[in-house]
Short mmCIF file of all heavy atoms in Angstrom, two decimals:
data_model
loop_
_atom_site.label_atom_id
_atom_site.label_comp_id
_atom_site.label_asym_id
_atom_site.label_seq_id
_atom_site.Cartn_x
_atom_site.Cartn_y
_atom_site.Cartn_z
N MET A 29 -60.49 1.14 -24.20
CA MET A 29 -60.38 2.13 -23.12
C MET A 29 -61.55 1.99 -22.21
O MET A 29 -62.69 1.72 -22.65
CB MET A 29 -60.27 3.50 -23.73
CG MET A 29 -60.07 4.54 -22.67
SD MET A 29 -59.55 6.18 -23.23
CE MET A 29 -58.11 5.81 -24.16
N ILE A 30 -61.33 2.14 -20.92
CA ILE A 30 -62.35 2.00 -19.93
C ILE A 30 -62.53 3.33 -19.24
O ILE A 30 -61.56 4.06 -18.99
CB ILE A 30 -61.95 0.96 -18.83
CG1 ILE A 30 -61.65 -0.39 -19.44
CG2 ILE A 30 -62.95 0.88 -17.69
CD1 ILE A 30 -62.91 -1.15 -19.88
N SER A 31 -63.83 3.68 -19.01
CA SER A 31 -64.12 4.94 -18.31
C SER A 31 -64.46 4.63 -16.86
O SER A 31 -65.17 3.72 -16.55
CB SER A 31 -65.32 5.65 -18.95
OG SER A 31 -65.03 5.89 -20.28
N GLN A 32 -63.89 5.45 -15.97
CA GLN A 32 -64.21 5.28 -14.53
C GLN A 32 -65.05 6.45 -14.11
O GLN A 32 -64.65 7.62 -14.23
CB GLN A 32 -62.96 5.25 -13.71
CG GLN A 32 -63.21 5.14 -12.20
CD GLN A 32 -61.94 5.14 -11.37
OE1 GLN A 32 -60.89 4.73 -11.85
NE2 GLN A 32 -62.07 5.62 -10.15
N VAL A 33 -66.28 6.17 -13.66
CA VAL A 33 -67.20 7.24 -13.17
C VAL A 33 -67.24 7.11 -11.67
O VAL A 33 -67.53 6.06 -11.10
CB VAL A 33 -68.61 7.05 -13.78
CG1 VAL A 33 -69.54 8.15 -13.33
CG2 VAL A 33 -68.52 7.04 -15.31
N THR A 34 -66.93 8.20 -10.97
CA THR A 34 -66.93 8.20 -9.52
C THR A 34 -67.99 9.18 -9.01
O THR A 34 -68.05 10.29 -9.46
CB THR A 34 -65.55 8.64 -9.02
OG1 THR A 34 -64.52 7.80 -9.58
CG2 THR A 34 -65.46 8.57 -7.47
N PHE A 35 -68.72 8.72 -8.02
CA PHE A 35 -69.73 9.56 -7.38
C PHE A 35 -69.32 9.69 -5.89
O PHE A 35 -68.98 8.73 -5.22
CB PHE A 35 -71.13 8.91 -7.46
CG PHE A 35 -71.61 8.79 -8.86
CD1 PHE A 35 -71.48 7.62 -9.54
CD2 PHE A 35 -72.24 9.84 -9.42
CE1 PHE A 35 -71.94 7.53 -10.84
CE2 PHE A 35 -72.73 9.72 -10.71
CZ PHE A 35 -72.59 8.61 -11.44
N ILE A 36 -69.42 10.93 -5.40
CA ILE A 36 -69.08 11.26 -4.00
C ILE A 36 -70.30 11.94 -3.39
O ILE A 36 -71.21 12.46 -4.11
CB ILE A 36 -67.83 12.08 -3.87
CG1 ILE A 36 -67.92 13.44 -4.57
CG2 ILE A 36 -66.59 11.30 -4.34
CD1 ILE A 36 -66.85 14.40 -4.24
N ALA A 37 -70.31 12.03 -2.07
CA ALA A 37 -71.40 12.73 -1.36
C ALA A 37 -71.41 14.24 -1.74
O ALA A 37 -70.35 14.84 -1.83
CB ALA A 37 -71.27 12.54 0.14
N LYS A 38 -72.61 14.77 -1.90
CA LYS A 38 -72.76 16.20 -2.11
C LYS A 38 -72.23 17.04 -0.94
O LYS A 38 -71.61 18.08 -1.15
CB LYS A 38 -74.18 16.58 -2.44
CG LYS A 38 -74.68 16.09 -3.78
CD LYS A 38 -76.10 16.52 -4.00
CE LYS A 38 -76.62 16.03 -5.31
NZ LYS A 38 -78.07 16.34 -5.51
N ASN A 39 -72.50 16.56 0.26
CA ASN A 39 -72.09 17.22 1.48
C ASN A 39 -70.74 16.69 1.87
O ASN A 39 -70.54 15.48 2.15
CB ASN A 39 -73.12 16.96 2.61
CG ASN A 39 -72.77 17.68 3.88
OD1 ASN A 39 -71.79 18.38 3.95
ND2 ASN A 39 -73.65 17.53 4.87
N GLU A 40 -69.72 17.53 1.86
CA GLU A 40 -68.30 17.16 2.16
C GLU A 40 -68.16 16.62 3.57
O GLU A 40 -67.30 15.81 3.87
CB GLU A 40 -67.37 18.27 1.90
CG GLU A 40 -67.26 18.75 0.48
CD GLU A 40 -68.32 19.79 0.13
OE1 GLU A 40 -68.88 20.42 1.02
OE2 GLU A 40 -68.50 19.93 -1.06
N LYS A 41 -69.01 17.02 4.50
CA LYS A 41 -68.94 16.59 5.91
C LYS A 41 -69.54 15.27 6.15
O LYS A 41 -69.38 14.67 7.22
CB LYS A 41 -69.58 17.65 6.78
CG LYS A 41 -68.84 18.98 6.74
CD LYS A 41 -69.50 20.04 7.62
CE LYS A 41 -68.79 21.39 7.49
NZ LYS A 41 -69.43 22.40 8.24
N CYS A 42 -70.28 14.71 5.19
CA CYS A 42 -70.96 13.46 5.38
C CYS A 42 -69.91 12.30 5.22
O CYS A 42 -69.30 12.15 4.22
CB CYS A 42 -72.06 13.25 4.32
SG CYS A 42 -72.91 11.73 4.46
N THR A 43 -69.75 11.54 6.32
CA THR A 43 -68.80 10.40 6.29
C THR A 43 -69.55 9.06 6.15
O THR A 43 -68.85 8.06 5.94
CB THR A 43 -67.99 10.41 7.57
OG1 THR A 43 -68.84 10.32 8.70
CG2 THR A 43 -67.14 11.69 7.64
N SER A 44 -70.83 9.01 6.20
CA SER A 44 -71.50 7.76 6.10
C SER A 44 -71.68 7.23 4.69
O SER A 44 -71.83 6.06 4.45
CB SER A 44 -72.91 7.82 6.79
OG SER A 44 -73.68 8.79 6.10
N LEU A 45 -71.64 8.11 3.69
CA LEU A 45 -71.72 7.76 2.32
C LEU A 45 -70.33 7.53 1.71
O LEU A 45 -69.52 8.47 1.71
CB LEU A 45 -72.47 8.82 1.48
CG LEU A 45 -73.92 9.02 1.78
CD1 LEU A 45 -74.46 10.17 0.94
CD2 LEU A 45 -74.70 7.80 1.52
N GLN A 46 -70.06 6.32 1.28
CA GLN A 46 -68.78 6.01 0.70
C GLN A 46 -68.83 6.33 -0.84
O GLN A 46 -69.88 6.19 -1.46
CB GLN A 46 -68.49 4.50 0.91
CG GLN A 46 -68.35 4.11 2.33
CD GLN A 46 -67.22 4.84 3.00
OE1 GLN A 46 -66.12 4.95 2.46
NE2 GLN A 46 -67.49 5.39 4.20
N PRO A 47 -67.68 6.69 -1.42
CA PRO A 47 -67.66 6.91 -2.85
C PRO A 47 -68.02 5.67 -3.61
O PRO A 47 -67.75 4.54 -3.18
CB PRO A 47 -66.20 7.28 -3.16
CG PRO A 47 -65.66 7.71 -1.81
CD PRO A 47 -66.41 6.94 -0.79
N LYS A 48 -68.72 5.85 -4.76
CA LYS A 48 -69.09 4.73 -5.57
C LYS A 48 -68.34 4.95 -6.93
O LYS A 48 -68.39 5.99 -7.53
CB LYS A 48 -70.58 4.71 -5.83
CG LYS A 48 -71.34 4.45 -4.55
CD LYS A 48 -72.79 4.12 -4.82
CE LYS A 48 -73.53 3.81 -3.57
NZ LYS A 48 -73.26 2.54 -3.01
N ARG A 49 -67.66 3.83 -7.36
CA ARG A 49 -66.94 3.87 -8.64
C ARG A 49 -67.47 2.80 -9.56
O ARG A 49 -67.65 1.65 -9.14
CB ARG A 49 -65.44 3.61 -8.38
CG ARG A 49 -64.82 4.79 -7.67
CD ARG A 49 -63.31 4.58 -7.47
NE ARG A 49 -62.73 5.64 -6.74
CZ ARG A 49 -62.67 5.76 -5.45
NH1 ARG A 49 -63.14 4.81 -4.70
NH2 ARG A 49 -62.11 6.81 -4.87
N TYR A 50 -67.71 3.19 -10.79
CA TYR A 50 -68.17 2.31 -11.79
C TYR A 50 -67.24 2.28 -13.00
O TYR A 50 -66.79 3.32 -13.42
CB TYR A 50 -69.59 2.67 -12.26
CG TYR A 50 -70.58 2.68 -11.17
CD1 TYR A 50 -71.11 3.84 -10.65
CD2 TYR A 50 -71.04 1.42 -10.63
CE1 TYR A 50 -72.10 3.84 -9.67
CE2 TYR A 50 -71.99 1.43 -9.59
CZ TYR A 50 -72.50 2.62 -9.16
OH TYR A 50 -73.45 2.65 -8.13
N LEU A 51 -66.86 1.13 -13.48
CA LEU A 51 -66.01 1.02 -14.66
C LEU A 51 -66.94 0.72 -15.83
O LEU A 51 -67.69 -0.32 -15.80
CB LEU A 51 -64.99 -0.06 -14.51
CG LEU A 51 -63.98 0.15 -13.35
CD1 LEU A 51 -63.06 -1.04 -13.20
CD2 LEU A 51 -63.20 1.45 -13.62
N ILE A 52 -66.87 1.45 -16.85
CA ILE A 52 -67.76 1.34 -18.01
C ILE A 52 -66.91 1.27 -19.31
O ILE A 52 -66.01 2.02 -19.52
CB ILE A 52 -68.75 2.52 -18.10
CG1 ILE A 52 -69.58 2.51 -16.82
CG2 ILE A 52 -69.65 2.41 -19.32
CD1 ILE A 52 -70.42 3.71 -16.60
N ASN A 53 -67.23 0.26 -20.13
CA ASN A 53 -66.45 -0.01 -21.35
C ASN A 53 -66.85 0.93 -22.47
O ASN A 53 -67.59 0.56 -23.36
CB ASN A 53 -66.63 -1.47 -21.71
CG ASN A 53 -65.70 -1.87 -22.85
OD1 ASN A 53 -64.76 -1.16 -23.13
ND2 ASN A 53 -65.99 -2.98 -23.45
N THR A 54 -66.37 2.16 -22.43
CA THR A 54 -66.58 3.14 -23.46
C THR A 54 -65.57 4.24 -23.41
O THR A 54 -64.93 4.40 -22.37
CB THR A 54 -68.05 3.77 -23.38
OG1 THR A 54 -68.24 4.63 -24.44
CG2 THR A 54 -68.24 4.54 -22.07
N ASP A 55 -65.38 4.95 -24.48
CA ASP A 55 -64.49 6.08 -24.49
C ASP A 55 -65.18 7.40 -24.65
O ASP A 55 -64.59 8.41 -24.86
CB ASP A 55 -63.38 5.89 -25.54
CG ASP A 55 -63.94 5.73 -26.90
OD1 ASP A 55 -65.16 5.62 -27.07
OD2 ASP A 55 -63.15 5.74 -27.88
N ASP A 56 -66.52 7.40 -24.55
CA ASP A 56 -67.34 8.58 -24.64
C ASP A 56 -67.76 8.99 -23.24
O ASP A 56 -68.44 8.26 -22.53
CB ASP A 56 -68.60 8.28 -25.53
CG ASP A 56 -69.49 9.51 -25.67
OD1 ASP A 56 -69.03 10.59 -25.38
OD2 ASP A 56 -70.64 9.33 -26.10
N LYS A 57 -67.35 10.20 -22.80
CA LYS A 57 -67.58 10.58 -21.39
C LYS A 57 -69.08 10.81 -21.15
O LYS A 57 -69.57 10.57 -20.05
CB LYS A 57 -66.76 11.81 -21.07
CG LYS A 57 -67.14 13.09 -21.71
CD LYS A 57 -66.29 14.24 -21.15
CE LYS A 57 -66.74 15.54 -21.75
NZ LYS A 57 -65.96 16.68 -21.21
N HIS A 58 -69.85 11.27 -22.14
CA HIS A 58 -71.28 11.49 -21.93
C HIS A 58 -72.03 10.17 -21.79
O HIS A 58 -72.93 10.06 -20.90
CB HIS A 58 -71.87 12.29 -23.09
CG HIS A 58 -71.27 13.66 -23.25
ND1 HIS A 58 -71.42 14.65 -22.27
CD2 HIS A 58 -70.48 14.21 -24.22
CE1 HIS A 58 -70.75 15.74 -22.66
NE2 HIS A 58 -70.17 15.48 -23.84
N LEU A 59 -71.68 9.18 -22.59
CA LEU A 59 -72.30 7.88 -22.47
C LEU A 59 -71.91 7.22 -21.12
O LEU A 59 -72.72 6.61 -20.49
CB LEU A 59 -71.86 6.95 -23.59
CG LEU A 59 -72.40 5.58 -23.57
CD1 LEU A 59 -73.91 5.57 -23.75
CD2 LEU A 59 -71.75 4.76 -24.75
N ALA A 60 -70.66 7.42 -20.72
CA ALA A 60 -70.18 6.86 -19.46
C ALA A 60 -70.94 7.48 -18.23
O ALA A 60 -71.34 6.77 -17.35
CB ALA A 60 -68.71 7.07 -19.26
N LEU A 61 -71.14 8.81 -18.29
CA LEU A 61 -71.91 9.45 -17.19
C LEU A 61 -73.36 8.98 -17.14
O LEU A 61 -73.87 8.74 -16.09
CB LEU A 61 -71.86 10.94 -17.38
CG LEU A 61 -70.70 11.70 -16.69
CD1 LEU A 61 -70.74 13.17 -17.07
CD2 LEU A 61 -70.72 11.48 -15.21
N SER A 62 -73.97 8.85 -18.32
CA SER A 62 -75.41 8.39 -18.33
C SER A 62 -75.51 6.98 -17.85
O SER A 62 -76.40 6.64 -17.03
CB SER A 62 -75.98 8.53 -19.70
OG SER A 62 -75.41 7.67 -20.62
N LYS A 63 -74.59 6.09 -18.24
CA LYS A 63 -74.62 4.69 -17.72
C LYS A 63 -74.30 4.67 -16.20
O LYS A 63 -74.88 3.87 -15.46
CB LYS A 63 -73.55 3.85 -18.47
CG LYS A 63 -73.86 3.67 -19.91
CD LYS A 63 -74.95 2.68 -20.12
CE LYS A 63 -75.17 2.41 -21.62
NZ LYS A 63 -76.21 1.50 -21.88
N GLY A 64 -73.41 5.53 -15.75
CA GLY A 64 -73.05 5.60 -14.38
C GLY A 64 -74.24 6.03 -13.53
O GLY A 64 -74.53 5.48 -12.48
N TYR A 65 -75.02 7.02 -14.01
CA TYR A 65 -76.18 7.50 -13.32
C TYR A 65 -77.24 6.40 -13.30
O TYR A 65 -78.00 6.23 -12.31
CB TYR A 65 -76.74 8.79 -13.95
CG TYR A 65 -76.11 10.02 -13.42
CD1 TYR A 65 -75.39 10.82 -14.22
CD2 TYR A 65 -76.24 10.35 -12.06
CE1 TYR A 65 -74.76 11.98 -13.74
CE2 TYR A 65 -75.65 11.54 -11.58
CZ TYR A 65 -74.94 12.33 -12.44
OH TYR A 65 -74.35 13.46 -11.90
N GLN A 66 -77.36 5.61 -14.36
CA GLN A 66 -78.32 4.49 -14.39
C GLN A 66 -78.00 3.47 -13.34
O GLN A 66 -78.86 2.96 -12.63
CB GLN A 66 -78.35 3.85 -15.75
CG GLN A 66 -79.04 4.67 -16.82
CD GLN A 66 -78.93 4.00 -18.20
OE1 GLN A 66 -78.39 2.94 -18.38
NE2 GLN A 66 -79.47 4.68 -19.15
N LEU A 67 -76.66 3.17 -13.15
CA LEU A 67 -76.26 2.24 -12.12
C LEU A 67 -76.45 2.83 -10.72
O LEU A 67 -76.80 2.11 -9.82
CB LEU A 67 -74.78 1.86 -12.35
CG LEU A 67 -74.52 1.04 -13.58
CD1 LEU A 67 -73.00 0.93 -13.81
CD2 LEU A 67 -75.08 -0.38 -13.46
N LEU A 68 -76.23 4.13 -10.59
CA LEU A 68 -76.37 4.75 -9.26
C LEU A 68 -77.81 4.77 -8.84
O LEU A 68 -78.11 4.75 -7.68
CB LEU A 68 -75.82 6.19 -9.32
CG LEU A 68 -75.82 6.97 -8.01
CD1 LEU A 68 -74.87 6.30 -7.03
CD2 LEU A 68 -75.45 8.37 -8.23
N MET A 69 -78.76 4.84 -9.82
CA MET A 69 -80.21 4.90 -9.47
C MET A 69 -80.69 3.70 -8.69
O MET A 69 -81.73 3.73 -8.06
CB MET A 69 -81.02 5.09 -10.73
CG MET A 69 -80.92 6.41 -11.35
SD MET A 69 -81.46 7.71 -10.24
CE MET A 69 -80.71 9.15 -10.92
N LYS A 70 -79.92 2.59 -8.75
CA LYS A 70 -80.26 1.42 -7.95
C LYS A 70 -80.10 1.54 -6.46
O LYS A 70 -80.56 0.83 -5.64
CB LYS A 70 -79.47 0.20 -8.50
CG LYS A 70 -79.79 -0.15 -9.91
CD LYS A 70 -78.93 -1.30 -10.37
CE LYS A 70 -79.26 -1.56 -11.88
NZ LYS A 70 -78.44 -2.66 -12.36
N ASP A 71 -79.29 2.58 -6.08
CA ASP A 71 -79.07 2.86 -4.69
C ASP A 71 -80.16 3.78 -4.17
O ASP A 71 -80.61 4.71 -4.84
CB ASP A 71 -77.71 3.62 -4.53
CG ASP A 71 -77.26 3.78 -3.11
OD1 ASP A 71 -78.08 4.21 -2.24
OD2 ASP A 71 -76.09 3.54 -2.82
N LYS A 72 -80.66 3.50 -2.95
CA LYS A 72 -81.75 4.30 -2.42
C LYS A 72 -81.33 5.68 -2.04
O LYS A 72 -82.17 6.55 -1.81
CB LYS A 72 -82.39 3.56 -1.24
CG LYS A 72 -81.54 3.38 -0.03
CD LYS A 72 -82.24 2.68 1.12
CE LYS A 72 -81.41 2.54 2.33
NZ LYS A 72 -82.14 1.90 3.40
N HIS A 73 -80.08 5.97 -1.88
CA HIS A 73 -79.61 7.33 -1.52
C HIS A 73 -78.96 8.02 -2.75
O HIS A 73 -78.05 8.83 -2.56
CB HIS A 73 -78.59 7.23 -0.42
CG HIS A 73 -79.13 6.67 0.87
ND1 HIS A 73 -80.13 7.22 1.62
CD2 HIS A 73 -78.87 5.43 1.49
CE1 HIS A 73 -80.36 6.46 2.64
NE2 HIS A 73 -79.65 5.38 2.58
N CYS A 74 -79.39 7.73 -3.91
CA CYS A 74 -78.77 8.21 -5.14
C CYS A 74 -78.81 9.75 -5.22
O CYS A 74 -77.93 10.39 -5.82
CB CYS A 74 -79.37 7.58 -6.34
SG CYS A 74 -81.10 7.94 -6.61
N ASP A 75 -79.77 10.37 -4.66
CA ASP A 75 -79.91 11.82 -4.73
C ASP A 75 -78.90 12.59 -3.83
O ASP A 75 -78.79 13.81 -3.93
CB ASP A 75 -81.37 12.28 -4.34
CG ASP A 75 -81.77 11.80 -2.94
OD1 ASP A 75 -81.19 10.84 -2.49
OD2 ASP A 75 -82.66 12.43 -2.36
N LEU A 76 -78.16 11.82 -2.99
CA LEU A 76 -77.16 12.44 -2.13
C LEU A 76 -75.77 12.47 -2.74
O LEU A 76 -74.80 12.87 -2.11
CB LEU A 76 -77.13 11.71 -0.79
CG LEU A 76 -78.43 11.72 -0.01
CD1 LEU A 76 -78.23 10.85 1.24
CD2 LEU A 76 -78.86 13.12 0.35
N TYR A 77 -75.63 12.00 -3.99
CA TYR A 77 -74.30 11.89 -4.64
C TYR A 77 -74.15 12.90 -5.78
O TYR A 77 -75.21 13.30 -6.38
CB TYR A 77 -74.12 10.48 -5.22
CG TYR A 77 -73.82 9.45 -4.21
CD1 TYR A 77 -74.83 8.65 -3.70
CD2 TYR A 77 -72.53 9.19 -3.78
CE1 TYR A 77 -74.55 7.64 -2.75
CE2 TYR A 77 -72.26 8.18 -2.85
CZ TYR A 77 -73.25 7.42 -2.39
OH TYR A 77 -73.01 6.43 -1.44
N LYS A 78 -72.96 13.24 -6.09
CA LYS A 78 -72.64 14.06 -7.22
C LYS A 78 -71.46 13.36 -7.96
O LYS A 78 -70.69 12.63 -7.38
CB LYS A 78 -72.23 15.50 -6.84
CG LYS A 78 -70.97 15.61 -6.07
CD LYS A 78 -70.60 17.04 -5.74
CE LYS A 78 -69.30 17.12 -4.92
NZ LYS A 78 -69.00 18.50 -4.54
N ALA A 79 -71.38 13.63 -9.29
CA ALA A 79 -70.40 12.99 -10.12
C ALA A 79 -69.10 13.78 -10.19
O ALA A 79 -69.18 15.04 -10.23
CB ALA A 79 -70.93 12.74 -11.48
N LEU A 80 -67.99 13.10 -10.15
CA LEU A 80 -66.70 13.72 -10.45
C LEU A 80 -66.43 13.60 -11.92
O LEU A 80 -67.13 12.81 -12.66
CB LEU A 80 -65.61 13.01 -9.66
CG LEU A 80 -65.63 13.16 -8.15
CD1 LEU A 80 -64.51 12.39 -7.52
CD2 LEU A 80 -65.52 14.61 -7.78
N PRO A 81 -65.47 14.27 -12.49
CA PRO A 81 -65.14 14.15 -13.90
C PRO A 81 -64.76 12.75 -14.26
O PRO A 81 -64.14 12.02 -13.46
CB PRO A 81 -63.97 15.11 -14.18
CG PRO A 81 -64.12 16.12 -13.05
CD PRO A 81 -64.67 15.41 -11.93
N VAL A 82 -65.13 12.32 -15.50
CA VAL A 82 -64.87 10.97 -15.90
C VAL A 82 -63.38 10.80 -16.14
O VAL A 82 -62.71 11.68 -16.69
CB VAL A 82 -65.60 10.66 -17.25
CG1 VAL A 82 -65.24 9.27 -17.79
CG2 VAL A 82 -67.10 10.77 -17.02
N LYS A 83 -62.87 9.67 -15.67
CA LYS A 83 -61.46 9.34 -15.78
C LYS A 83 -61.25 8.18 -16.77
O LYS A 83 -62.03 7.21 -16.65
CB LYS A 83 -60.92 8.97 -14.40
CG LYS A 83 -59.44 8.79 -14.33
CD LYS A 83 -59.08 8.49 -12.87
CE LYS A 83 -57.58 8.41 -12.65
NZ LYS A 83 -57.29 8.05 -11.27
N PHE A 84 -60.37 8.25 -17.73
CA PHE A 84 -60.16 7.24 -18.66
C PHE A 84 -58.95 6.36 -18.27
O PHE A 84 -57.89 6.89 -17.89
CB PHE A 84 -59.90 7.79 -20.08
CG PHE A 84 -61.09 8.50 -20.58
CD1 PHE A 84 -61.15 9.91 -20.66
CD2 PHE A 84 -62.21 7.79 -20.99
CE1 PHE A 84 -62.24 10.56 -21.13
CE2 PHE A 84 -63.36 8.43 -21.47
CZ PHE A 84 -63.39 9.80 -21.53
N LEU A 85 -59.13 5.04 -18.33
CA LEU A 85 -58.10 4.12 -17.91
C LEU A 85 -57.73 3.21 -19.11
O LEU A 85 -58.58 2.78 -19.85
CB LEU A 85 -58.56 3.21 -16.76
CG LEU A 85 -59.14 3.92 -15.55
CD1 LEU A 85 -59.75 2.91 -14.59
CD2 LEU A 85 -58.04 4.69 -14.84
N ASP A 86 -56.40 2.99 -19.27
CA ASP A 86 -55.99 2.11 -20.34
C ASP A 86 -55.90 0.67 -19.79
O ASP A 86 -55.39 0.45 -18.64
CB ASP A 86 -54.58 2.48 -20.85
CG ASP A 86 -54.66 3.75 -21.68
OD1 ASP A 86 -55.64 3.89 -22.40
OD2 ASP A 86 -53.70 4.53 -21.67
N VAL A 87 -56.39 -0.28 -20.51
CA VAL A 87 -56.33 -1.63 -20.10
C VAL A 87 -55.35 -2.40 -21.01
O VAL A 87 -55.44 -2.30 -22.25
CB VAL A 87 -57.69 -2.29 -20.15
CG1 VAL A 87 -57.64 -3.78 -19.78
CG2 VAL A 87 -58.67 -1.56 -19.28
N HIS A 88 -54.37 -3.02 -20.43
CA HIS A 88 -53.35 -3.74 -21.17
C HIS A 88 -53.66 -5.23 -21.15
O HIS A 88 -54.00 -5.79 -20.12
CB HIS A 88 -51.97 -3.48 -20.58
CG HIS A 88 -51.64 -2.00 -20.60
ND1 HIS A 88 -51.27 -1.32 -21.74
CD2 HIS A 88 -51.58 -1.10 -19.59
CE1 HIS A 88 -51.04 -0.08 -21.40
NE2 HIS A 88 -51.23 0.08 -20.11
N ASP A 89 -53.41 -5.92 -22.26
CA ASP A 89 -53.61 -7.34 -22.30
C ASP A 89 -52.48 -8.00 -21.60
O ASP A 89 -51.33 -7.59 -21.70
CB ASP A 89 -53.65 -7.85 -23.78
CG ASP A 89 -54.91 -7.35 -24.45
OD1 ASP A 89 -55.95 -7.19 -23.81
OD2 ASP A 89 -54.84 -7.24 -25.72
N VAL A 90 -52.77 -9.03 -20.86
CA VAL A 90 -51.77 -9.73 -20.11
C VAL A 90 -51.40 -11.02 -20.81
O VAL A 90 -52.21 -11.73 -21.35
CB VAL A 90 -52.25 -10.12 -18.68
CG1 VAL A 90 -51.22 -10.86 -17.88
CG2 VAL A 90 -52.63 -8.81 -17.94
#
């Protein structure tokens, strides 16, 4: 199972910040959020984002 962590701008009127989505290979939402925040910290505007609830995605073998 893959976790999708999505970060959006704290200010709803801000259109210059695009949503950031990270796919993390875990089924623990707390671990996914912490890893997502670690990845977001690489962005210089990381303090302008807030996290949405973690979404779980099923991956099927092809």
Side-chain angles (χ1 to χ4, degrees):
M29 186 165 302
I30 302 288
S31 301
Q32 178 181 335
V33 182
T34 306
F35 295 97
I36 60 170
K38 288 181 182 178
N39 183 358
E40 294 87 19
K41 296 179 183 177
C42 180
T43 58
S44 62
L45 293 176
Q46 297 300 314
K48 295 192 179 285
R49 290 182 180 87
Y50 300 107
L51 297 176
I52 299 168
N53 188 14
T54 185
D55 57 353
D56 182 15
K57 70 177 183 177
H58 298 294
L59 180 63
L61 270 176
S62 67
K63 294 285 185 181
Y65 274 116
Q66 288 176 1
L67 292 170
L68 183 67
M69 289 298 161
K70 295 178 182 178
D71 189 314
K72 65 179 181 177
H73 300 292
C74 62
D75 57 335
L76 300 176
Y77 285 96
K78 65 179 178 181
L80 293 179
V82 176
K83 187 176 184 183
F84 295 106
L85 306 172
D86 287 327
V87 178
H88 301 286
D89 294 331
V90 178

